[in-house]
Amino acid sequence: MAENDRADTGAISTTSVAAADVTTAVLDKAHVGDIEGAFGTIRVGDIAGRRSWGTRLLTLLAIVGPGLIVMVGDNDAGGVATYAQAGQNFGTSLLWTLPLLIPVLVVNQEMVVRLGAVTGVGHARLINERFGKFWGAFSVGDLFLLNFLTIVTEFIGVSLALGYFGVSSYVSVPVAAVGLVAMTASGSFRRWERFMLLFVVANFLVIPLVIFSHPHLAPMVHGFVVPGVQGGVSSTSVLLIIAIVGTTVAPWQLFFQQSNIVDKRIVPRWINYERVDTVLGSLVTVFAATLIIATAAFAFGRTPLAGHFANAGGVARGLEHYLGNGAGTLFALVLLNASIIGAAAVTLATSYAFGDVFGMKHSLHRGFADAKQFYMSFSALVFVAAAIVLVPHAPLGLITTSVQALAGVLLPSATVFLLLLCNDKAVLGPWVNKLWLNVVAGIIIAVLVALSLVLMATTVFPNVDVSVLVDGLGALVGACVAVAAVAVLRVRRSSVADDDGPALPRDTWRMPPLALLERPRWSRGRTSAMYVLRGYLLLAVVLLLVKAIELGTVHH
């Protein structure tokens, strides 16, 4: 391999949309060149206008991929199990959580769309370079642990799905692991993306599945628009709500989509198309989640299985018993499809982050021989996670739910770093967040922290009145948002002078090499707040483990 065709510590010169030489922070030369999408190619120097709807559609087809894959991949094995649990234990009463998650999905992922296209580097590297190794370890270390546990749940899904058809987990899990590695290490980004989009299409098996359950529109509409919890709010229902948030808006999504955009070679000129891709993905995700909850709600609502979720395999067998073999088969196939696309996306997100942190070549455009460390890290994650699933008598359902809740607890810290990066003018230049977007993101963070606070309080004080607690925390969140809005306005007014310079060309502006950028300085207040957040999250994780053990003991 030539010296100039490897990942190194310096930046490389690439070709911008305007066909001018620009020095960027891109390290891997495989991240520079034509966009080779599943449904088309866009040349690196393409500056042609897209005036007709036909040409715009063709461009969108070439760009589409990262947004759909990350969103549908988030409806993984843990997602299918969590949504089925919500429907089986609480009917349609938790449907209201899903439309609220659409703006969360779109806001979070739109920010990483800009970060990926403008910077040309992955999320993990940006955090390490801009905030230092300590905070990088805080963010990326949590990611590695959570992602590994999530990959375990994907193979739990494979085991339960194929177990429904009588296939031993000692056969299904290893075969799935080998297939995942073979699919990913083909050396062709386009081939990999086509594989993944096939799984996206298979996600729509939820449509015939829900038909088997004979759903009624009225309770579904009521569940969507009227917040409530069947049987009343309790610590268990709060845990499930956090799990729904954690499985629908997971930290790994931030790292995956940003790196996948970089790997697909999307630049600022195509950001609007990738935004459309992301919105489509969020709608498909919530649509599928809705139908899974509805299926379980209407299938089990008046049966002895109502309120007694065990695991996704039990759901498939229950559907077979009450709705027939077709329903059970479709649910098992939905679960299998979700497990495979989830495992592929989460593992790739982790391998991308490894490449960012350790400076390895990390691109799906490279074959196995050209990026051994990248693919070996991917393979190791897959095979170790698969081996753990084969441990006898593991509480698979409890592990799955707990991992989704853990994702919900850790999401605020990931969103905080995302928000800091998207307000860093050295990183995003003319693409930094607007004021309204900062306010919305701040509200999202406050609500996520409030949810985990409810979980902590109900774990430590199991007899607390949860409804009163939720009302109190809601008022506290409102006060915090008001204070944050005032602070943002003050910061924005103080930086008006910085906006007086000439406007930067948005479509061609790329982040300079990170080595040339001065690291941002944090105030004492911000530093203290970050340490408080870190301490709080550690405590929340410990209490989540306590809650999981408590539920496991009761179930046992």
Side-chain angles (χ1 to χ4, degrees), residues 283-370:
L283 295 176
V284 169
T285 295
V286 169
F287 173 76
T290 300
L291 297 194
I292 293 171
I293 290 177
T295 297
F298 292 109
F300 301 126
R302 299 180 182 275
T303 73
L305 290 181
H308 297 287
F309 173 86
N311 57 49
V315 173
R317 291 187 294 273
L319 290 175
E320 179 185 17
H321 179 75
Y322 290 106
L323 302 180
N325 184 63
T329 297
L330 277 174
F331 183 84
L333 291 175
V334 167
L335 177 61
L336 178 63
N337 179 72
S339 303
I340 293 174
I341 191 172
V346 178
T347 310
L348 187 57
T350 314
S351 298
Y352 275 142
F354 271 126
D356 276 336
V357 172
F358 299 109
M360 304 181 304
K361 288 181 287 188
H362 52 296
S363 173
L364 294 173
H365 292 284
R366 297 184 182 273
F368 194 94
D370 195 22

Side-chain angles (χ1 to χ4, degrees), residues 450-464:
L451 283 174
S452 59
L453 277 170
V454 172
L455 175 63
M456 289 176 61
T458 53
T459 302
V460 178
F461 307 105
N463 297 321
V464 70

Side-chain angles (χ1 to χ4, degrees), residues 8 13 25 42 59 102 118 239-240 268 354 376 394 428 442 464 470 473 487:
D8 53 37
S13 179
I42 299 176
T59 303
I102 292 177
V118 174
L239 176 64
L240 185 57
F354 271 126
M376 286 177 68
L428 280 184
V464 70
V470 170
L473 284 174

